[in-house]
Structure formats: C-alpha cells, structure tokens
Amino acid sequence: MAPPRILVVGAGFAGVECVRRLERRLAPGEAQITLVTPFSYQLYLPLLPQVASGVLTPQSVAVSLRRSRRHRTRIVPGGAIGVDTQAKVCVIRKITDEIVNEPYDYIVLAAGSVTRTFDIPGLLDNARGMKTLAEAAYVRDHVIAQLDLADASHDEAERASRLQFVVVGGGYAGTETAACLQRLTTNAVRQYPRLDARLIKWHLIDIAPKLMPELGDKLGQAALEVLRKRKIEVSLGVSIAEAGPEQVTFTDGRVLPCRTLIWTAGVAASPLIATLGAETVRGRLAVTPQLNLPGADGVFSLGDAAAVPDLAKGDGAVCPPTAQHAMRQGRVLADNLIASLRHQPLRDYVHKDLGLVVDLGGKDAVSKPLGIELRGLPAQAVARGYHWSALRTNVARTRVMTNWMLNAVAGDDFVRTGFQSRKPATLRDFEYTDVYLTPEQIREHTAATVIKH
C-alpha cells in the first residue's frame, strides 16, 4: 500500500517550517512529502527593505530549500492555481507554464499573501511593490537610475520629478522601505556633485491616522519623529487618488511630480484561497484552532492565507499575518498532520505575541520585545538580533552578519545592475495574481484525474 501523500503549497515561513518538522519527525516511508513553490528558496521577507537599499545582498535573504540533509521532500517548481477538495487534487502551473494535476491525501495551504491593491486609476501600471525578491532588486535599480538620470538632465522639471519618491503604506514594510531608501539617496548625494540634496524628497503616506498603531502611541510617535528629522514628509489620513507615469495625485488634492511610487499598503490572502469556495474571514481561510478546514477532509491551512483563531487574545481575534505566528503555526500543523496519520488527537495553536521590531536603518529603530518599549541603539540591537536568529541556516546568518558589518565599515554603494532596465516593471509583473482558475475550470482539470488511495 502506497504511503499517504502530503502536499504543502508555499515555501514561506509557515510552509518551510511545516516541511522541516515533518522531515524530522516522520519515520522513513511513513508519508510522501511534496512542496509546491516557484522558487527553490525561502525568502526572509522582513529584510527586503535592506535588500532594496543595498545593505544586504539578495542572496543573503534567500535561504536555499535544498540544504536539508534529509532531503526527502519532492519540490515541484511552480505555483498552485486551484484546489478541488472533493477530488483531492491540486492544479499546478509549473514555471514552464505547463499545467499538471497533483493528487493528495493531505494538503497544507501555506500560499501566503499578495500585495493588496485598490481600484485606483493607474496604480497597477505605475506602482512598484515590496513583496518579492525581484521587486526589491528592481526598486533598488529604479531608485539609483532616477539619481543617474536626474544628474545627467538639463531639464529642471524632469530633474525635480525624478528626485521625488512616494511610498504608500504606514505599516512596517512601508515605514522601513521609506527609511532605508531615504538613507541610500541621502548618502548618494556626495557621489552626484550636480545634484542638489534639497531636491531629493521622500514622502510616506497612509490613510490611517497613526503610523504603525500596533507599536502603541509612544513608539509610533518616536518612529514618526525619526522620519521627520530625516526630512521624510509623512502624511497621515491621505492616500492616492491617481497614479501616473510622471505624477501622483493625492486624495487631499496635491499633485506631485514623481517617477517613483512604491505601494506597500497592506496584504491580502493569496487568490488561491478563493478557488476553494470555503468560508473566509477578510479573504483568509477560516480554520479551526487545530489549523484544519471544517468540512474538508485532509485540508489544513496556516500563515497569511488562514484566519487562525488567536486563543491567546480571545474575543474572536485571529492571528496577525506575521512571520512569528507563521513559523510556530508550521510546527503545530506538522504535529497535527502526524497525529492525523497516527490516529491521535490534534492540539490547538496557542502563542502569545513576543513583540514587534522596526529597523529604520543606521542607528535608528523602535522595538517592543515582550512589551518593553525601546528606541535607538538598544532597539536596533534587538531588531537585528531577532532577524538574525530567525534566519534558518548558519550560512544565511553568516551572510547577513557579514553584509551588516561591511555596510557599517564601507558604507553604501550605488551600483545599478540594469535589472529589467528596458522594461518598466509593475505590480502585475512580479506577483502573477491573474493566473488562478475559477471553480469551473478547476473541475474541468480534475475531472479526468484518478486518485488512488
């Protein structure tokens, strides 16, 4: 009799942590594990702003999936675009665009999230995100290109528009992105003698009334003061009304000449979740505290894709989409999968949030570990210590630490690699959110599949 087939969709914090624990705790031959992911690495997403600013190299935050010594997991290079929970088949589009059906006995939906967008004229065509490694590399090239082009231009209007940068989203990603890239452009001025530093302007806007409200009023205000001290113009209660290739219109009526719009205004669950036709909470799959989907045999979900009840908070709260929760959910889900295979009881996911860290670059940071409010160097030490310890391999830790030390000693560099230099890349070009199937298309693909139990 063939061993049960476990299919894990997604190689983020949740999916990789689940696979690693399954590999360690399952007996040889007890189950077949398959991981579906378009890339053969786990991305350490919280450090992407430092990749965009050049403090870290892209390879530093991309942890190889093939360093496992056990290496019993089969990796399918592609993305899941539909799931038929009745037929127990996942439809996968490989990186070659070939569409295949993957039968399963148990499926773990750790598909993560995508950048949340709104119906704003020009947004999808003119904004860049900060959700993938390719986007971070592209944004870095694009920002440096604006400095190069402004330095070479004789047109004052063009120069001014190329030196205005807008980041939308006052959460962690947006705040860190604006802070890190502002340091990069400020430090670059000495390498561009024809540029007036006063023309380089960064804008951080958010529709919310407060910056990073999860940090609390004191630390949120401290972060705001750091940004404004650096001459970053922070506008709260404001969003984008229209995004053009050379100007941005704010909802308060301002029209800003601008060639760079970075969109980090939140995330939404992967469109894969909508293909299940199951109950959702704000777009995330509604699961039990044991991380399984009610009424669907063998279906589990976690991380950004799932609305996991936060039993530590109670009152109907769900866990926030953070790496801290995703990693711990991955371990619990793996244990529950093994318990299902062995006909043992499942356990609930319970975890009290350990705190938040925000790295603003240089010596600036705000952190709240275990409820203790920190700012400045102590907060920076906590922030970088947390990120460093959360990296999965010693190789990754060594690369990141070396990059941090090198940047501290040698400073920034302003090399433009030419990534997609001839093609303006947009949100559509990196996250492929239009490739998912409808329920009817999924049934067509799975109708001919014979599942052998």
Side-chain angles (χ1 to χ4, degrees):
M1 185 177 178
R5 296 160 296 190
I6 299 174
L7 180 65
V8 180
V9 176
F13 291 103
V16 169
E17 200 64 34
C18 178
V19 167
R20 291 183 68 212
R21 198 170 184 94
L22 288 173
E23 286 186 330
R24 288 195 301 268
R25 298 200 169 188
L26 283 172
E30 190 173 0
Q32 297 175 355
I33 308 171
T34 299
L35 176 63
V36 180
T37 174
F39 307 109
S40 60
Y41 60 78
Q42 176 194 3
L43 176 63
Y44 193 81
L45 196 65
L47 291 178
L48 275 189
Q50 295 190 38
V51 173
S53 63
V55 173
L56 299 177
T57 61
Q59 191 178 10
S60 303
V61 299
V63 184
S64 173
L65 297 177
R66 298 191 181 275
R67 282 190 172 273
S68 170
R69 292 181 179 178
R70 296 181 182 273
H71 197 65
R72 69 167 79 166
T73 298
R74 169 178 162 248
I75 299 177
V76 178
I81 58 175
V83 179
D84 187 336
T85 58
Q86 296 297 317
K88 286 196 169 185
V89 172
C90 180
V91 184
I92 298 169
R93 185 190 297 272
K94 291 186 177 180
I95 57 175
T96 58
D97 283 336
E98 177 190 3
I99 296 179
V100 298
N101 293 338
E102 187 72 33
Y104 66 84
D105 295 298
Y106 298 91
I107 188 168
V108 177
L109 299 172
S113 57
V114 297
T115 301
R116 182 181 60 185
T117 58
F118 301 96
D119 189 18
I120 298 172
L123 177 66
L124 293 179
D125 294 320
N126 297 297
R128 283 90 186 173
M130 188 59 66
K131 195 75 173 66
T132 68
L133 192 59
E135 282 178 311
Y138 177 86
V139 165
R140 172 175 167 77
D141 260 23
H142 174 81
V143 169
I144 295 175
Q146 301 316 299
L147 299 178
D148 289 342
L149 291 166
D151 184 66
S153 177
H154 297 290
D155 185 325
E156 292 300 323
E158 178 191 356
R159 179 177 290 192
S161 71
R162 291 194 182 280
L163 296 179
Q164 298 250 37
F165 306 91
V166 176
V167 179
V168 182
Y172 306 112
T175 302
E176 290 186 336
T177 296
C180 291
L181 286 172
Q182 183 272 338
R183 288 191 78 253
L184 175 71
T185 55
T186 299
N187 294 336
V189 170
R190 66 179 71 108
Q191 308 296 331
Y192 294 86
R194 296 182 68 248
L195 291 184
D196 184 348
R198 292 171 296 181
L199 291 178
I200 301 177
K201 297 179 181 179
W202 281 87
H203 302 260
L204 176 63
I205 71 172
D206 193 90
I207 196 65
K210 295 181 181 179
L211 193 69
M212 296 181 292
E214 299 89 343
L215 282 173
D217 290 342
K218 288 185 180 179
L219 286 186
Q221 185 62 33
L224 185 61
E225 290 171 2
V226 168
L227 298 179
R228 286 180 171 162
K229 186 177 180 181
R230 292 195 198 167
K231 309 300 183 186
I232 297 175
E233 185 172 327
V234 181
S235 300
L236 300 174
V238 177
S239 189
I240 295 294
E242 185 174 354
E246 296 184 9
Q247 69 178 30
V248 173
T249 303
F250 292 174
T251 53
D252 62 4
R254 284 180 290 166
V255 179
L256 191 73
C258 171
R259 311 283 182 109
T260 306
L261 174 60
I262 302 173
W263 181 266
T264 63
V267 297
S270 167
L272 176 68
I273 299 305
T275 71
L276 276 74
E279 181 186 353
T280 60
V281 177
R282 296 183 181 178
R284 301 165 70 188
L285 199 61
V287 297
T288 69
Q290 296 83 36
L291 307 175
N292 55 0
L293 180 63
D297 182 40
V299 179
F300 294 81
S301 188
L302 71 169
D304 291 10
V308 179
D310 192 340
L311 300 183
K313 287 185 178 179
D315 296 326
V318 297
C319 297
T322 63
Q324 183 182 150
H325 279 289
M327 292 170 69
R328 287 165 175 80
Q329 289 168 12
R331 296 168 197 157
V332 171
L333 198 155
D335 290 344
N336 282 348
L337 257 177
I338 295 171
S340 296
L341 290 173
R342 297 172 182 173
H343 307 290
Q344 298 171 349
L346 310 187
R347 66 186 178 99
D348 292 345
Y349 171 73
V350 184
H351 170 65
K352 186 176 181 180
D353 204 304
L354 297 178
L356 305 164
V357 297
V358 182
D359 188 336
L360 299 174
K363 299 177 182 179
D364 296 320
V366 289
S367 299
K368 196 175 182 180
L370 301 173
I372 302 171
E373 296 186 347
L374 301 173
R375 62 190 73 183
L377 279 175
Q380 183 65 284
V382 169
R384 294 203 168 181
Y386 173 79
H387 290 317
W388 184 82
S389 63
L391 291 164
R392 190 167 56 83
T393 67
N394 289 330
V395 171
R397 294 189 187 106
T398 301
R399 284 183 178 141
V400 166
M401 183 61 72
T402 302
N403 282 180
W404 280 337
M405 294 174 63
L406 183 62
N407 182 261
V409 173
D412 297 315
D413 68 72
F414 311 102
V415 175
R416 177 165 49 87
T417 63
F419 184 78
Q420 289 206 3
S421 59
R422 299 293 179 184
K423 180 186 176 185
T426 65
L427 288 170
R428 301 175 192 268
D429 298 312
F430 291 108
E431 298 194 42
Y432 306 104
T433 54
D434 57 349
V435 300
Y436 295 87
L437 303 180
T438 65
E440 293 75 19
Q441 290 172 322
I442 294 170
R443 284 192 290 271
E444 289 177 9
H445 277 283
T446 60
T449 301
V450 177
I451 302 178
K452 298 179 180 179
H453 294 280

